Amino acid sequence: MEFKEQVKKGFQACKEDIETLFDENRQLSSSIENLSQENSQLKSQIGDLTQLLSSFKEEFKSIHSQLEEIKNRPASHQQTTVAQEISTQSPSVLPQTQPSIPVPAVTKSAQEPIQQDPYEALLAFKAKTNKREMLKQKMMSLVGDNGMNLSELKFMIVDHFKYCSKATFYNYLKELELERHIKIERSHSKNIVYLAHLAKEI
């Protein structure tokens, strides 16, 4: 009788150990799956940051090139620009006895390469800024109230409408995220873009 009780207790203990191991294995599997998803998300973020850094480098090179252009501009071209600005002023502003400023002749060799005027550069910068804001608004309108898959948003902006390059797209996307206009959430192994004020409600 005692032997049967001991055998019964032994089987019961084995059963409990097996259930315990099963629970631990299930918890480990869940932890591994969560870590895998986090790792995938981190890889995606690293890729986005790499593209953003590349875009920043391109813009920095462009700004540096423009500064060098202005710095190395021939003095004759700068004098021509000053003369043109003075000639367009209202006669009531200029003194009647002011002598005319001679405009030096610009030879063909001096014209090459053609240097961009600072005022024109400023207008181009403003146009670029306006285009940036308009494109960011377009991205937000496509996201809408229900959110949008990130890859689909990129396809519409870059591939379909051809508004900008892929690097510029990710640059603007990060700006919207930093400005708290949008929020990117991971769902079923996909990145979904939501408008920030609607992200918690959906």
Side-chain angles (χ1 to χ4, degrees):
M1 194 68 174
E2 292 181 0
F3 176 74
K4 288 184 178 181
E5 288 294 330
Q6 290 177 357
V7 171
K8 184 178 179 180
K9 290 180 180 179
F11 275 115
Q12 184 66 28
C14 289
K15 183 179 179 181
E16 292 176 355
D17 290 341
I18 291 173
E19 290 178 352
T20 301
L21 290 173
F22 179 78
D23 290 338
E24 291 178 354
N25 183 58
R26 184 172 54 188
Q27 291 176 0
L28 286 173
S29 297
S30 177
S31 299
I32 291 172
E33 184 178 355
N34 291 335
L35 289 174
S36 178
Q37 291 179 353
E38 290 178 2
N39 183 53
S40 177
Q41 186 174 3
L42 287 173
K43 285 182 178 180
S44 176
Q45 291 178 351
I46 290 173
D48 292 345
L49 290 174
T50 302
Q51 291 175 338
L52 180 61
L53 179 60
S54 176
S55 177
F56 282 154
K57 286 181 179 179
E58 290 178 5
E59 291 190 6
F60 176 77
K61 287 180 181 179
S62 176
I63 294 173
H64 180 73
S65 176
Q66 291 180 7
L67 289 176
E68 288 296 322
E69 221 175 83
I70 295 173
K71 181 179 178 181
N72 298 327
R73 177 169 298 142
S76 59
H77 180 78
Q78 294 178 357
Q79 292 175 359
T80 302
T81 303
V82 172
Q84 290 174 347
E85 290 180 354
I86 293 176
S87 64
T88 57
Q89 292 181 357
S90 173
S92 60
V93 177
L94 298 176
Q96 296 297 327
T97 59
Q98 181 178 358
S100 60
I101 299 177
V103 179
V106 180
T107 63
K108 184 177 180 181
S109 60
Q111 291 179 345
E112 298 178 354
I114 299 175
Q115 304 291 334
Q116 187 178 15
D117 184 86
Y119 180 71
E120 293 178 356
L122 179 60
L123 289 179
F125 173 77
K126 288 183 177 180
K128 183 178 180 181
T129 302
N130 291 336
K131 179 182 177 182
R132 176 192 296 258
E133 294 304 319
M134 289 175 62
L135 185 51
K136 286 161 66 175
Q137 288 294 329
K138 182 65 177 177
M139 292 167 64
M140 291 175 63
S141 68
L142 286 175
V143 170
D145 295 340
N146 297 321
M148 190 174 189
N149 188 305
L150 176 57
S151 60
E152 293 178 357
L153 179 61
K154 181 190 76 67
F155 171 79
M156 295 298 293
I157 295 294
V158 178
D159 302 315
H160 182 67
F161 292 117
K162 299 186 185 301
Y163 286 140
C164 64
S165 66
K166 181 178 178 181
T168 301
F169 168 80
Y170 281 105
N171 183 11
Y172 291 172
L173 189 73
K174 282 299 176 185
E175 287 184 11
L176 287 171
E177 193 173 15
L178 291 173
E179 292 167 0
R180 301 182 184 278
H181 292 311
I182 63 169
K183 186 175 181 181
I184 302 176
E185 297 182 354
R186 189 80 174 171
S187 177
H188 303 294
S189 301
K190 294 181 180 180
N191 289 322
I192 307 298
V193 184
Y194 295 105
L195 297 179
H197 66 284
L198 297 174
K200 294 181 179 178
E201 301 176 4
I202 297 176

